[in-house]
Amino acid sequence: MMMKGKDMNLTGTDIVNLLRSNDKAIARALLVLKARQTEDEQRSESTRHQNGRGFRPCHARMGVSMAKFYERNGYLSPKQIAYWRKEGKEGMRISIYWRQLLEAAKEKAAKAA
């Protein structure tokens, strides 16, 4: 858990480094992204609205499914973690969501202050 003061100075690089080194951070990121999907998107495990929130269409089904798995079981398997850490042309698969994750972290810190 991060301290309140540090949250406000959190950067995208901090988010990406945390995702690269902490398996639980990936699970928590999936929960944040799932929560940012609309209700109909969560139900259908797809992206229906181009609102810049939640998962991209290519990750919606897998992301919502794995977030639900984590909610039920309290862990992600090594294979699931590897899926999100896979490197692509934009870096780690999960790292493309750093802006949303940073926004969510700052919102949470503001509520806690």
Side-chain angles (χ1 to χ4, degrees):
M1 191 175 325
M2 291 177 260
M3 293 185 288
K4 287 180 196 170
K6 188 174 186 217
D7 279 352
M8 298 317 272
N9 296 322
L10 201 60
T11 67
T13 301
D14 294 330
I15 297 283
V16 172
N17 288 339
L18 187 60
L19 293 167
R20 187 177 311 282
S21 62
N22 185 315
D23 293 354
K24 189 161 186 166
I26 289 183
R28 292 180 67 208
L30 296 180
L31 295 178
V32 167
L33 294 166
K34 176 181 166 270
R36 292 172 68 95
Q37 298 278 103
T38 61
E39 272 189 45
D40 62 321
E41 289 174 328
Q42 288 180 34
R43 271 194 310 277
S44 65
E45 297 185 357
S46 66
T47 300
R48 296 175 175 209
H49 310 283
Q50 297 299 315
N51 57 10
R53 294 179 60 87
F55 295 104
R56 290 183 180 182
C58 59
H59 300 141
R61 185 168 170 264
M62 191 70 79
V64 173
S65 173
M66 284 191 202
K68 288 178 179 177
F69 177 92
Y70 180 73
E71 288 171 329
R72 278 191 314 272
N73 301 296
Y75 72 93
L76 292 176
S77 72
K79 187 175 179 181
Q80 289 170 316
I81 297 291
Y83 173 84
W84 291 105
R85 284 209 178 118
K86 184 172 171 56
E87 292 285 339
K89 62 183 176 215
E90 296 180 79
M92 279 188 310
R93 189 172 275 149
I94 191 73
S95 68
I96 62 172
Y97 298 106
W98 72 265
R99 282 182 188 85
Q100 289 188 67
L101 298 171
L102 181 60
E103 183 181 308
K106 288 186 176 187
E107 287 169 4
K108 184 177 178 181
K111 286 179 187 171

